[in-house]
mmCIF file of all heavy atoms in Angstrom:
data_model
loop_
_atom_site.group_PDB
_atom_site.id
_atom_site.type_symbol
_atom_site.label_atom_id
_atom_site.label_comp_id
_atom_site.label_asym_id
_atom_site.label_seq_id
_atom_site.Cartn_x
_atom_site.Cartn_y
_atom_site.Cartn_z
ATOM 1 N N THR A 1058 0.838 -1.200 0.000
ATOM 2 C CA THR A 1058 0.000 0.000 0.000
ATOM 3 C C THR A 1058 0.870 1.246 0.000
ATOM 4 O O THR A 1058 0.609 2.215 -0.713
ATOM 5 C CB THR A 1058 -0.915 -0.001 1.243
ATOM 6 O OG1 THR A 1058 -1.685 -1.191 1.231
ATOM 7 C CG2 THR A 1058 -1.838 1.199 1.228
ATOM 8 N N GLU A 1059 1.946 1.205 0.816
ATOM 9 C CA GLU A 1059 2.819 2.368 0.911
ATOM 10 C C GLU A 1059 3.600 2.591 -0.371
ATOM 11 O O GLU A 1059 4.060 3.691 -0.635
ATOM 12 C CB GLU A 1059 3.783 2.188 2.090
ATOM 13 C CG GLU A 1059 3.075 2.255 3.443
ATOM 14 C CD GLU A 1059 4.012 2.006 4.600
ATOM 15 O OE1 GLU A 1059 5.154 1.576 4.351
ATOM 16 O OE2 GLU A 1059 3.603 2.239 5.746
ATOM 17 N N THR A 1060 3.760 1.545 -1.186
ATOM 18 C CA THR A 1060 4.520 1.698 -2.428
ATOM 19 C C THR A 1060 3.609 1.757 -3.646
ATOM 20 O O THR A 1060 4.057 1.604 -4.771
ATOM 21 C CB THR A 1060 5.514 0.533 -2.593
ATOM 22 O OG1 THR A 1060 4.810 -0.712 -2.511
ATOM 23 C CG2 THR A 1060 6.564 0.579 -1.514
ATOM 24 N N GLY A 1061 2.303 1.936 -3.425
ATOM 25 C CA GLY A 1061 1.391 2.189 -4.528
ATOM 26 C C GLY A 1061 0.643 0.987 -5.049
ATOM 27 O O GLY A 1061 -0.064 1.090 -6.047
ATOM 28 N N THR A 1062 0.760 -0.182 -4.430
ATOM 29 C CA THR A 1062 0.068 -1.380 -4.883
ATOM 30 C C THR A 1062 -1.050 -1.707 -3.912
ATOM 31 O O THR A 1062 -0.904 -1.527 -2.714
ATOM 32 C CB THR A 1062 1.040 -2.564 -4.974
ATOM 33 O OG1 THR A 1062 2.144 -2.171 -5.778
ATOM 34 C CG2 THR A 1062 0.376 -3.774 -5.585
ATOM 35 N N TRP A 1063 -2.172 -2.211 -4.392
ATOM 36 C CA TRP A 1063 -3.309 -2.514 -3.519
ATOM 37 C C TRP A 1063 -3.754 -3.953 -3.722
ATOM 38 O O TRP A 1063 -3.838 -4.450 -4.837
ATOM 39 C CB TRP A 1063 -4.490 -1.580 -3.797
ATOM 40 C CG TRP A 1063 -5.694 -1.931 -2.968
ATOM 41 C CD1 TRP A 1063 -6.841 -2.491 -3.395
ATOM 42 C CD2 TRP A 1063 -5.826 -1.782 -1.570
ATOM 43 N NE1 TRP A 1063 -7.703 -2.697 -2.356
ATOM 44 C CE2 TRP A 1063 -7.101 -2.266 -1.207
ATOM 45 C CE3 TRP A 1063 -4.994 -1.285 -0.563
ATOM 46 C CZ2 TRP A 1063 -7.569 -2.272 0.098
ATOM 47 C CZ3 TRP A 1063 -5.460 -1.276 0.737
ATOM 48 C CH2 TRP A 1063 -6.729 -1.769 1.050
ATOM 49 N N VAL A 1064 -3.999 -4.653 -2.613
ATOM 50 C CA VAL A 1064 -4.581 -5.985 -2.638
ATOM 51 C C VAL A 1064 -5.922 -5.887 -1.948
ATOM 52 O O VAL A 1064 -6.039 -5.298 -0.876
ATOM 53 C CB VAL A 1064 -3.675 -6.999 -1.911
ATOM 54 C CG1 VAL A 1064 -4.337 -8.366 -1.884
ATOM 55 C CG2 VAL A 1064 -2.328 -7.081 -2.609
ATOM 56 N N SER A 1065 -6.949 -6.475 -2.540
ATOM 57 C CA SER A 1065 -8.294 -6.328 -1.990
ATOM 58 C C SER A 1065 -8.432 -7.097 -0.683
ATOM 59 O O SER A 1065 -7.732 -8.090 -0.447
ATOM 60 C CB SER A 1065 -9.321 -6.871 -2.985
ATOM 61 O OG SER A 1065 -9.225 -8.291 -3.022
ATOM 62 N N PRO A 1066 -9.338 -6.670 0.201
ATOM 63 C CA PRO A 1066 -9.592 -7.408 1.441
ATOM 64 C C PRO A 1066 -10.000 -8.853 1.171
ATOM 65 O O PRO A 1066 -9.697 -9.740 1.952
ATOM 66 C CB PRO A 1066 -10.724 -6.611 2.085
ATOM 67 C CG PRO A 1066 -10.568 -5.229 1.546
ATOM 68 C CD PRO A 1066 -10.089 -5.417 0.135
ATOM 69 N N GLN A 1067 -10.681 -9.094 0.042
ATOM 70 C CA GLN A 1067 -11.104 -10.457 -0.259
ATOM 71 C C GLN A 1067 -9.902 -11.370 -0.496
ATOM 72 O O GLN A 1067 -9.884 -12.521 -0.052
ATOM 73 C CB GLN A 1067 -12.024 -10.453 -1.492
ATOM 74 C CG GLN A 1067 -13.412 -9.880 -1.227
ATOM 75 C CD GLN A 1067 -13.384 -8.363 -1.094
ATOM 76 O OE1 GLN A 1067 -12.446 -7.708 -1.561
ATOM 77 N NE2 GLN A 1067 -14.413 -7.805 -0.461
ATOM 78 N N GLN A 1068 -8.889 -10.836 -1.211
ATOM 79 C CA GLN A 1068 -7.687 -11.635 -1.428
ATOM 80 C C GLN A 1068 -6.944 -11.888 -0.111
ATOM 81 O O GLN A 1068 -6.464 -12.979 0.159
ATOM 82 C CB GLN A 1068 -6.750 -10.920 -2.412
ATOM 83 C CG GLN A 1068 -7.302 -10.865 -3.832
ATOM 84 C CD GLN A 1068 -6.443 -9.995 -4.705
ATOM 85 O OE1 GLN A 1068 -6.211 -8.834 -4.399
ATOM 86 N NE2 GLN A 1068 -5.965 -10.566 -5.803
ATOM 87 N N LEU A 1069 -6.852 -10.837 0.686
ATOM 88 C CA LEU A 1069 -6.156 -10.958 1.954
ATOM 89 C C LEU A 1069 -6.886 -11.916 2.893
ATOM 90 O O LEU A 1069 -6.258 -12.649 3.664
ATOM 91 C CB LEU A 1069 -6.041 -9.574 2.606
ATOM 92 C CG LEU A 1069 -5.253 -9.498 3.914
ATOM 93 C CD1 LEU A 1069 -3.824 -9.939 3.690
ATOM 94 C CD2 LEU A 1069 -5.291 -8.087 4.458
ATOM 95 N N ALA A 1070 -8.214 -11.957 2.804
ATOM 96 C CA ALA A 1070 -9.008 -12.788 3.711
ATOM 97 C C ALA A 1070 -8.663 -14.260 3.581
ATOM 98 O O ALA A 1070 -8.796 -15.025 4.540
ATOM 99 C CB ALA A 1070 -10.499 -12.591 3.420
ATOM 100 N N GLN A 1071 -8.221 -14.676 2.414
ATOM 101 C CA GLN A 1071 -7.900 -16.085 2.217
ATOM 102 C C GLN A 1071 -6.706 -16.522 3.068
ATOM 103 O O GLN A 1071 -6.495 -17.701 3.298
ATOM 104 C CB GLN A 1071 -7.589 -16.339 0.739
ATOM 105 C CG GLN A 1071 -8.767 -16.052 -0.160
ATOM 106 C CD GLN A 1071 -8.401 -16.182 -1.619
ATOM 107 O OE1 GLN A 1071 -7.336 -16.691 -1.951
ATOM 108 N NE2 GLN A 1071 -9.270 -15.729 -2.492
ATOM 109 N N ARG A 1072 -5.897 -15.550 3.529
ATOM 110 C CA ARG A 1072 -4.712 -15.876 4.319
ATOM 111 C C ARG A 1072 -4.914 -15.612 5.810
ATOM 112 O O ARG A 1072 -3.980 -15.737 6.595
ATOM 113 C CB ARG A 1072 -3.527 -15.027 3.828
ATOM 114 C CG ARG A 1072 -3.169 -15.281 2.379
ATOM 115 C CD ARG A 1072 -2.577 -16.658 2.187
ATOM 116 N NE ARG A 1072 -1.334 -16.810 2.921
ATOM 117 C CZ ARG A 1072 -0.154 -16.434 2.436
ATOM 118 N NH1 ARG A 1072 -0.059 -15.906 1.234
ATOM 119 N NH2 ARG A 1072 0.925 -16.601 3.155
ATOM 120 N N TYR A 1073 -6.129 -15.248 6.186
ATOM 121 C CA TYR A 1073 -6.364 -14.840 7.579
ATOM 122 C C TYR A 1073 -6.382 -16.043 8.519
ATOM 123 O O TYR A 1073 -6.934 -17.076 8.200
ATOM 124 C CB TYR A 1073 -7.697 -14.083 7.688
ATOM 125 C CG TYR A 1073 -7.935 -13.565 9.096
ATOM 126 C CD1 TYR A 1073 -7.346 -12.382 9.511
ATOM 127 C CD2 TYR A 1073 -8.716 -14.284 9.987
ATOM 128 C CE1 TYR A 1073 -7.541 -11.922 10.792
ATOM 129 C CE2 TYR A 1073 -8.909 -13.827 11.273
ATOM 130 C CZ TYR A 1073 -8.318 -12.647 11.668
ATOM 131 O OH TYR A 1073 -8.515 -12.190 12.938
ATOM 132 N N ARG A 1074 -5.782 -15.874 9.662
ATOM 133 C CA ARG A 1074 -5.842 -16.887 10.706
ATOM 134 C C ARG A 1074 -5.727 -16.195 12.052
ATOM 135 O O ARG A 1074 -4.935 -15.274 12.206
ATOM 136 C CB ARG A 1074 -4.702 -17.904 10.565
ATOM 137 C CG ARG A 1074 -4.762 -19.000 11.637
ATOM 138 C CD ARG A 1074 -3.692 -20.041 11.381
ATOM 139 N NE ARG A 1074 -2.365 -19.488 11.463
ATOM 140 C CZ ARG A 1074 -1.705 -19.292 12.614
ATOM 141 N NH1 ARG A 1074 -2.280 -19.593 13.759
ATOM 142 N NH2 ARG A 1074 -0.496 -18.783 12.617
ATOM 143 N N GLU A 1075 -6.516 -16.644 13.038
ATOM 144 C CA GLU A 1075 -6.457 -16.044 14.367
ATOM 145 C C GLU A 1075 -5.110 -16.349 15.026
ATOM 146 O O GLU A 1075 -4.563 -17.427 14.868
ATOM 147 C CB GLU A 1075 -7.580 -16.606 15.266
ATOM 148 C CG GLU A 1075 -8.978 -16.217 14.826
ATOM 149 C CD GLU A 1075 -9.256 -14.760 15.101
ATOM 150 O OE1 GLU A 1075 -8.462 -14.126 15.829
ATOM 151 O OE2 GLU A 1075 -10.251 -14.248 14.577
ATOM 152 N N THR A 1076 -4.583 -15.374 15.747
ATOM 153 C CA THR A 1076 -3.322 -15.565 16.451
ATOM 154 C C THR A 1076 -3.503 -16.559 17.583
ATOM 155 O O THR A 1076 -4.385 -16.427 18.403
ATOM 156 C CB THR A 1076 -2.833 -14.216 17.023
ATOM 157 O OG1 THR A 1076 -2.706 -13.298 15.948
ATOM 158 C CG2 THR A 1076 -1.490 -14.380 17.721
ATOM 159 N N ALA A 1077 -2.631 -17.565 17.624
ATOM 160 C CA ALA A 1077 -2.725 -18.567 18.676
ATOM 161 C C ALA A 1077 -2.164 -18.019 19.981
ATOM 162 O O ALA A 1077 -1.253 -17.200 19.983
ATOM 163 C CB ALA A 1077 -1.943 -19.816 18.271
ATOM 164 N N ALA A 1078 -2.764 -18.441 21.051
ATOM 165 C CA ALA A 1078 -2.270 -18.015 22.362
ATOM 166 C C ALA A 1078 -0.939 -18.683 22.646
ATOM 167 O O ALA A 1078 -0.723 -19.838 22.344
ATOM 168 C CB ALA A 1078 -3.281 -18.377 23.451
ATOM 169 N N ALA A 1079 -0.036 -17.909 23.241
ATOM 170 C CA ALA A 1079 1.282 -18.450 23.558
ATOM 171 C C ALA A 1079 1.275 -19.101 24.923
ATOM 172 O O ALA A 1079 0.439 -18.826 25.764
ATOM 173 C CB ALA A 1079 2.315 -17.322 23.524
ATOM 174 N N GLY A 1080 2.218 -19.991 25.132
ATOM 175 C CA GLY A 1080 2.328 -20.662 26.419
ATOM 176 C C GLY A 1080 2.818 -19.722 27.498
ATOM 177 O O GLY A 1080 3.404 -18.674 27.235
ATOM 178 N N GLU A 1081 2.562 -20.079 28.704
ATOM 179 C CA GLU A 1081 2.964 -19.246 29.819
ATOM 180 C C GLU A 1081 4.443 -19.464 30.143
ATOM 181 O O GLU A 1081 5.004 -20.520 29.930
ATOM 182 C CB GLU A 1081 2.093 -19.563 31.039
ATOM 183 C CG GLU A 1081 0.631 -19.215 30.847
ATOM 184 C CD GLU A 1081 -0.147 -19.384 32.138
ATOM 185 O OE1 GLU A 1081 0.487 -19.602 33.186
ATOM 186 O OE2 GLU A 1081 -1.368 -19.278 32.084
ATOM 187 N N VAL A 1082 5.031 -18.415 30.665
ATOM 188 C CA VAL A 1082 6.426 -18.528 31.061
ATOM 189 C C VAL A 1082 6.524 -19.324 32.347
ATOM 190 O O VAL A 1082 5.601 -19.376 33.133
ATOM 191 C CB VAL A 1082 7.037 -17.125 31.266
ATOM 192 C CG1 VAL A 1082 7.093 -16.368 29.973
ATOM 193 C CG2 VAL A 1082 6.248 -16.336 32.309
ATOM 194 N N SER A 1083 7.686 -19.966 32.565
ATOM 195 C CA SER A 1083 7.847 -20.805 33.753
ATOM 196 C C SER A 1083 8.709 -20.113 34.798
ATOM 197 O O SER A 1083 8.184 -19.628 35.801
ATOM 198 C CB SER A 1083 8.440 -22.160 33.353
ATOM 199 O OG SER A 1083 9.619 -21.969 32.598
ATOM 200 N N ASP A 1084 9.985 -20.041 34.560
ATOM 201 C CA ASP A 1084 10.888 -19.475 35.561
ATOM 202 C C ASP A 1084 10.942 -17.960 35.391
ATOM 203 O O ASP A 1084 11.662 -17.439 34.559
ATOM 204 C CB ASP A 1084 12.279 -20.085 35.381
ATOM 205 C CG ASP A 1084 13.239 -19.640 36.450
ATOM 206 O OD1 ASP A 1084 12.845 -18.854 37.316
ATOM 207 O OD2 ASP A 1084 14.398 -20.087 36.411
ATOM 208 N N ARG A 1085 10.215 -17.234 36.236
ATOM 209 C CA ARG A 1085 10.052 -15.798 36.029
ATOM 210 C C ARG A 1085 11.371 -15.042 36.166
ATOM 211 O O ARG A 1085 11.674 -14.152 35.367
ATOM 212 C CB ARG A 1085 9.026 -15.227 37.013
ATOM 213 C CG ARG A 1085 7.602 -15.691 36.728
ATOM 214 C CD ARG A 1085 6.605 -14.988 37.649
ATOM 215 N NE ARG A 1085 6.574 -13.559 37.431
ATOM 216 C CZ ARG A 1085 5.890 -12.955 36.456
ATOM 217 N NH1 ARG A 1085 5.212 -13.690 35.587
ATOM 218 N NH2 ARG A 1085 5.899 -11.647 36.345
ATOM 219 N N ALA A 1086 12.153 -15.360 37.140
ATOM 220 C CA ALA A 1086 13.374 -14.583 37.370
ATOM 221 C C ALA A 1086 14.294 -14.600 36.162
ATOM 222 O O ALA A 1086 14.922 -13.597 35.840
ATOM 223 C CB ALA A 1086 14.105 -15.103 38.596
ATOM 224 N N ALA A 1087 14.393 -15.746 35.488
ATOM 225 C CA ALA A 1087 15.306 -15.857 34.358
ATOM 226 C C ALA A 1087 14.622 -15.635 33.022
ATOM 227 O O ALA A 1087 15.285 -15.299 32.050
ATOM 228 C CB ALA A 1087 15.981 -17.229 34.358
ATOM 229 N N HIS A 1088 13.307 -15.794 32.967
ATOM 230 C CA HIS A 1088 12.630 -15.816 31.672
ATOM 231 C C HIS A 1088 11.512 -14.793 31.509
ATOM 232 O O HIS A 1088 10.943 -14.688 30.426
ATOM 233 C CB HIS A 1088 12.066 -17.218 31.404
ATOM 234 C CG HIS A 1088 13.112 -18.287 31.425
ATOM 235 N ND1 HIS A 1088 13.343 -19.092 32.508
ATOM 236 C CD2 HIS A 1088 14.017 -18.658 30.491
ATOM 237 C CE1 HIS A 1088 14.333 -19.918 32.248
ATOM 238 N NE2 HIS A 1088 14.751 -19.681 31.028
ATOM 239 N N ASP A 1089 11.173 -14.062 32.551
ATOM 240 C CA ASP A 1089 10.117 -13.062 32.429
ATOM 241 C C ASP A 1089 10.755 -11.713 32.115
ATOM 242 O O ASP A 1089 11.505 -11.165 32.923
ATOM 243 C CB ASP A 1089 9.322 -12.988 33.739
ATOM 244 C CG ASP A 1089 8.157 -12.003 33.666
ATOM 245 O OD1 ASP A 1089 8.019 -11.327 32.621
ATOM 246 O OD2 ASP A 1089 7.402 -11.902 34.636
ATOM 247 N N ARG A 1090 10.458 -11.165 30.956
ATOM 248 C CA ARG A 1090 11.056 -9.898 30.556
ATOM 249 C C ARG A 1090 10.689 -8.764 31.495
ATOM 250 O O ARG A 1090 11.434 -7.774 31.623
ATOM 251 C CB ARG A 1090 10.612 -9.546 29.125
ATOM 252 C CG ARG A 1090 11.463 -8.471 28.447
ATOM 253 C CD ARG A 1090 10.752 -7.888 27.247
ATOM 254 N NE ARG A 1090 9.619 -7.093 27.641
ATOM 255 C CZ ARG A 1090 9.684 -5.822 28.040
ATOM 256 N NH1 ARG A 1090 10.842 -5.206 28.092
ATOM 257 N NH2 ARG A 1090 8.606 -5.159 28.379
ATOM 258 N N GLU A 1091 9.559 -8.858 32.143
ATOM 259 C CA GLU A 1091 9.109 -7.778 33.016
ATOM 260 C C GLU A 1091 9.541 -7.973 34.468
ATOM 261 O O GLU A 1091 9.187 -7.182 35.333
ATOM 262 C CB GLU A 1091 7.586 -7.647 32.926
ATOM 263 C CG GLU A 1091 7.122 -7.258 31.519
ATOM 264 C CD GLU A 1091 5.613 -7.114 31.424
ATOM 265 O OE1 GLU A 1091 4.932 -7.424 32.425
ATOM 266 O OE2 GLU A 1091 5.134 -6.685 30.369
ATOM 267 N N TRP A 1092 10.313 -9.019 34.726
ATOM 268 C CA TRP A 1092 10.814 -9.238 36.078
ATOM 269 C C TRP A 1092 11.785 -8.107 36.440
ATOM 270 O O TRP A 1092 12.612 -7.702 35.639
ATOM 271 C CB TRP A 1092 11.543 -10.573 36.151
ATOM 272 C CG TRP A 1092 12.004 -10.924 37.530
ATOM 273 C CD1 TRP A 1092 13.199 -10.601 38.102
ATOM 274 C CD2 TRP A 1092 11.277 -11.654 38.505
ATOM 275 N NE1 TRP A 1092 13.267 -11.080 39.374
ATOM 276 C CE2 TRP A 1092 12.099 -11.737 39.651
ATOM 277 C CE3 TRP A 1092 10.019 -12.242 38.526
ATOM 278 C CZ2 TRP A 1092 11.688 -12.397 40.808
ATOM 279 C CZ3 TRP A 1092 9.616 -12.901 39.670
ATOM 280 C CH2 TRP A 1092 10.438 -12.974 40.791
ATOM 281 N N THR A 1093 11.678 -7.582 37.653
ATOM 282 C CA THR A 1093 12.601 -6.553 38.112
ATOM 283 C C THR A 1093 13.472 -7.115 39.223
ATOM 284 O O THR A 1093 12.976 -7.747 40.153
ATOM 285 C CB THR A 1093 11.859 -5.304 38.607
ATOM 286 O OG1 THR A 1093 10.951 -5.662 39.647
ATOM 287 C CG2 THR A 1093 11.086 -4.658 37.475
ATOM 288 N N PHE A 1094 14.770 -6.888 39.099
ATOM 289 C CA PHE A 1094 15.740 -7.412 40.051
ATOM 290 C C PHE A 1094 16.034 -6.386 41.143
ATOM 291 O O PHE A 1094 15.854 -5.183 40.957
ATOM 292 C CB PHE A 1094 17.029 -7.785 39.331
ATOM 293 C CG PHE A 1094 16.903 -8.985 38.436
ATOM 294 C CD1 PHE A 1094 16.475 -8.849 37.124
ATOM 295 C CD2 PHE A 1094 17.207 -10.256 38.904
ATOM 296 C CE1 PHE A 1094 16.359 -9.946 36.291
ATOM 297 C CE2 PHE A 1094 17.089 -11.362 38.080
ATOM 298 C CZ PHE A 1094 16.664 -11.210 36.776
ATOM 299 N N GLY A 1095 16.539 -6.907 42.271
ATOM 300 C CA GLY A 1095 16.872 -6.025 43.382
ATOM 301 C C GLY A 1095 18.193 -5.307 43.196
ATOM 302 O O GLY A 1095 18.396 -4.220 43.745
ATOM 303 N N HIS A 1096 19.096 -5.899 42.432
ATOM 304 C CA HIS A 1096 20.408 -5.278 42.226
ATOM 305 C C HIS A 1096 21.011 -5.816 40.936
ATOM 306 O O HIS A 1096 20.779 -6.962 40.547
ATOM 307 C CB HIS A 1096 21.338 -5.584 43.404
ATOM 308 C CG HIS A 1096 22.613 -4.776 43.393
ATOM 309 N ND1 HIS A 1096 22.647 -3.453 43.776
ATOM 310 C CD2 HIS A 1096 23.886 -5.105 43.051
ATOM 311 C CE1 HIS A 1096 23.896 -3.000 43.678
ATOM 312 N NE2 HIS A 1096 24.662 -3.986 43.225
ATOM 313 N N LEU A 1097 21.782 -4.964 40.278
ATOM 314 C CA LEU A 1097 22.478 -5.321 39.053
ATOM 315 C C LEU A 1097 23.977 -5.296 39.300
ATOM 316 O O LEU A 1097 24.502 -4.327 39.870
ATOM 317 C CB LEU A 1097 22.130 -4.331 37.933
ATOM 318 C CG LEU A 1097 23.039 -4.317 36.694
ATOM 319 C CD1 LEU A 1097 22.876 -5.604 35.898
ATOM 320 C CD2 LEU A 1097 22.736 -3.100 35.821
ATOM 321 N N VAL A 1098 24.665 -6.354 38.882
ATOM 322 C CA VAL A 1098 26.131 -6.372 38.868
ATOM 323 C C VAL A 1098 26.554 -6.655 37.435
ATOM 324 O O VAL A 1098 26.204 -7.701 36.881
ATOM 325 C CB VAL A 1098 26.705 -7.437 39.817
ATOM 326 C CG1 VAL A 1098 28.228 -7.478 39.696
ATOM 327 C CG2 VAL A 1098 26.309 -7.147 41.263
ATOM 328 N N ALA A 1099 27.276 -5.739 36.840
ATOM 329 C CA ALA A 1099 27.717 -5.899 35.454
ATOM 330 C C ALA A 1099 29.227 -5.833 35.390
ATOM 331 O O ALA A 1099 29.822 -4.798 35.729
ATOM 332 C CB ALA A 1099 27.096 -4.830 34.554
ATOM 333 N N ASP A 1100 29.853 -6.933 34.984
ATOM 334 C CA ASP A 1100 31.302 -6.941 34.809
ATOM 335 C C ASP A 1100 31.620 -6.577 33.360
ATOM 336 O O ASP A 1100 30.810 -6.773 32.460
ATOM 337 C CB ASP A 1100 31.861 -8.322 35.145
ATOM 338 C CG ASP A 1100 33.319 -8.260 35.577
ATOM 339 O OD1 ASP A 1100 33.967 -7.235 35.285
ATOM 340 O OD2 ASP A 1100 33.809 -9.213 36.201
#
């Protein structure tokens, strides 16, 4: 679309699929991106 070409919604609809739910994280301290640590040591 940004480069001047258009594909109709009907064509695009043939490729539509609902996003699958992802599995839950297990070890939060090592694997949760939103985990906050009490202290950082960086060598």
Side-chain angles (χ1 to χ4, degrees):
T1058 303
E1059 291 177 349
T1060 55
T1062 307
W1063 177 252
V1064 177
S1065 72
Q1067 288 74 21
Q1068 291 172 304
L1069 184 61
Q1071 298 175 12
R1072 299 291 297 275
Y1073 184 82
R1074 181 175 63 82
E1075 293 288 348
T1076 302
E1081 295 187 9
V1082 294
S1083 53
D1084 185 359
R1085 291 186 63 82
H1088 302 99
D1089 183 356
R1090 197 197 70 82
E1091 297 181 354
W1092 184 271
T1093 57
F1094 290 87
H1096 191 77
L1097 164 69
V1098 176
D1100 205 342

